[in-house]
Amino acid sequence: MNYTLHQLHVFLTISRTGSITKSAEELHLTQPAVSIQLKNFQDQFEMPLTEVVGRKLYITDFGKEIAAAAEKILEEANAINYISSAYGNLLAGRLKISVVSTGKYIMPYLLSDFMKEHVGVDLLMDVTNKSSVIKSLENNEVDFALVSVMPGGISLEHMPLMYNQLYVVANTELASQYDINTWEDLTNIPLIYREQGSGTRQVMEQFFKANNIAVEKKMELTTNEAVKQAVLAGLGCSIMPVIGLKNELNDGLLKILPVEGFPIQSTWHLIWLKKKRLTSVATAFLQLIQKEKDAIIKEQFGWIDEYVAKSIKGKS
């Protein structure tokens, strides 16, 4: 055997993504380069690591065992680097965070100073849907998660960060067409929904149920960014977290409809398992957030009230 750590990393990525294309994107390599590394790695085994069925790549049972072993080898290799850094008085290790899709507008700012100060820390941040975030937390695969709606049935520690304000938004053309003032008027407009299980969808439906509102669901999309693009294209209106609309509000591409009872809101929380033994890296990050969160939020998100007021005034 003469495999390299790079080959292990490439194969582990392929086994996780199930795709040469996605692996190339994640590894910042060309597809041919990934394919070559896979071939060179495969040549060292008599049993096939992968098979292609109907143009789809599958990992064989043998390949899955090799991937599991590769993950352990890479973790041990990383441990050597972290030990070396620790002896040099550097905070070193991995920080693993899972973030719901709209949390991508918040978490980078919470991480920025920490990552700049601790160059020996490797960050693994997964931006995904709420169900995947909760699953990774339950499986103890991450140190922290960022959610806008607290999950039930899990024993958690949590730190509230800031309000997540949701408004009714439309593009400029549709905003001029609709006369929306009360929440009952929402029954007259086509609404674009997030997928079932998302925090935004949950908050929306709780509001509708509490106020006995029956609305027309125009379409359902799986990411906040997809919803935003659909609203920009004039396919309908939506109820969206204002935190992801800074540029569109500033440029006048989206307008907030002044609906009575809005914003509806939830709270962004940093959460972690109650009995989890935090690593030195995770502990240091938590301490920094506890100390600096108010200053970070004020500096990075102080624009929200001003932009909302400007948008609503422009609509009226």
Side-chain angles (χ1 to χ4, degrees):
M1 295 290 176
N2 193 30
Y3 52 77
T4 65
L5 292 177
H6 180 58
Q7 288 173 347
L8 292 176
H9 184 43
V10 169
F11 179 64
L12 184 59
T13 304
I14 293 171
S15 70
R16 180 166 47 79
T17 64
S19 165
I20 297 293
T21 301
K22 291 180 180 178
S23 297
E25 292 174 354
E26 185 171 319
L27 295 167
H28 303 291
L29 297 172
T30 64
Q31 291 184 39
V34 172
S35 296
I36 289 171
Q37 291 298 323
L38 176 60
K39 181 181 183 302
N40 290 341
F41 190 54
Q42 172 66 81
D43 287 345
Q44 300 180 66
F45 303 96
E46 295 183 3
M47 300 284 289
L49 298 167
T50 63
E51 58 182 351
V52 177
V53 179
R55 300 184 65 183
K56 181 172 176 58
L57 181 71
Y58 292 90
I59 309 300
T60 65
D61 289 342
F62 175 70
K64 291 176 182 177
E65 292 197 30
I66 295 298
E71 184 172 18
K72 293 178 182 178
I73 292 170
L74 291 170
E75 286 179 353
E76 292 300 322
N78 285 326
I80 292 174
N81 293 331
Y82 299 149
I83 291 170
S84 177
S85 296
Y87 271 84
N89 294 321
L90 292 175
L91 181 66
R94 284 188 175 182
L95 181 63
K96 299 180 182 180
I97 300 177
S98 188
V99 179
V100 295
S101 59
T102 47
K104 67 185 178 184
Y105 301 111
I106 300 175
M107 186 53 73
Y109 296 106
L110 298 175
L111 287 162
S112 180
D113 289 345
F114 181 78
M115 296 304 296
K116 289 176 182 177
E117 181 179 352
H118 302 294
V119 296
V121 172
D122 292 331
L123 172 66
L124 297 177
M125 186 172 78
D126 184 28
V127 180
T128 183
N129 57 49
K130 181 186 173 185
S131 61
S132 295
V133 168
I134 302 308
K135 183 178 179 181
S136 65
L137 194 69
E138 288 179 315
N139 293 339
N140 198 27
E141 296 171 352
V142 296
D143 299 305
F144 301 105
L146 181 67
V147 297
S148 60
V149 177
M150 290 287 289
I154 312 175
S155 184
L156 296 171
E157 298 283 359
H158 66 98
M159 181 192 303
L161 298 173
M162 61 183 289
Y163 288 125
N164 180 33
Q165 301 181 46
L166 287 79
Y167 287 88
V168 184
V169 297
N171 73 3
T172 304
E173 181 179 356
L174 286 183
S176 65
Q177 295 177 7
Y178 290 115
D179 184 21
I180 307 295
N181 297 295
T182 68
W183 48 259
E184 291 96 335
D185 295 329
L186 291 176
T187 59
N188 301 320
I189 65 175
L191 275 182
I192 301 173
Y193 275 52
R194 279 290 304 277
E195 80 282 8
Q196 189 69 43
S198 80
T200 298
R201 172 76 170 262
Q202 185 176 341
V203 172
M204 285 174 55
E205 291 184 333
Q206 287 174 346
F207 177 80
F208 294 153
K209 184 177 181 179
N211 292 284
N212 197 27
I213 306 172
V215 300
E216 175 190 354
K217 183 171 65 174
K218 179 76 172 181
M219 66 178 67
E220 180 178 301
L221 300 173
T222 57
T223 68
N224 197 66
E225 189 63 29
V227 171
K228 181 165 66 175
Q229 294 303 321
V231 174
L232 284 167
L235 295 178
C237 306
S238 190
I239 296 174
M240 302 185 66
V242 70
I243 198 168
L245 306 177
K246 182 178 182 180
N247 293 334
E248 291 76 16
L249 292 176
N250 187 49
D251 295 339
L253 301 175
L254 291 180
K255 296 293 183 181
I256 293 176
L257 303 183
V259 181
E260 179 186 356
F262 282 80
I264 54 178
Q265 63 185 26
S266 55
T267 301
W268 288 106
H269 283 88
L270 188 70
I271 61 176
W272 61 100
L273 292 177
K274 190 160 191 170
K275 294 184 179 181
K276 183 176 180 62
R277 295 182 60 183
L278 296 178
T279 65
S280 57
V281 170
T283 299
F285 175 68
L286 187 61
Q287 290 173 343
L288 182 140
I289 296 303
Q290 288 172 328
K291 180 181 178 181
E292 302 292 342
K293 65 170 184 171
D294 291 342
I296 293 172
I297 290 168
K298 181 178 180 180
E299 178 180 357
Q300 300 298 336
F301 305 107
W303 56 268
I304 290 178
D305 290 343
E306 176 187 348
Y307 279 44
V308 168
K310 177 182 176 182
S311 180
I312 291 177
K313 181 179 180 181
K315 168 66 174 70
S316 59

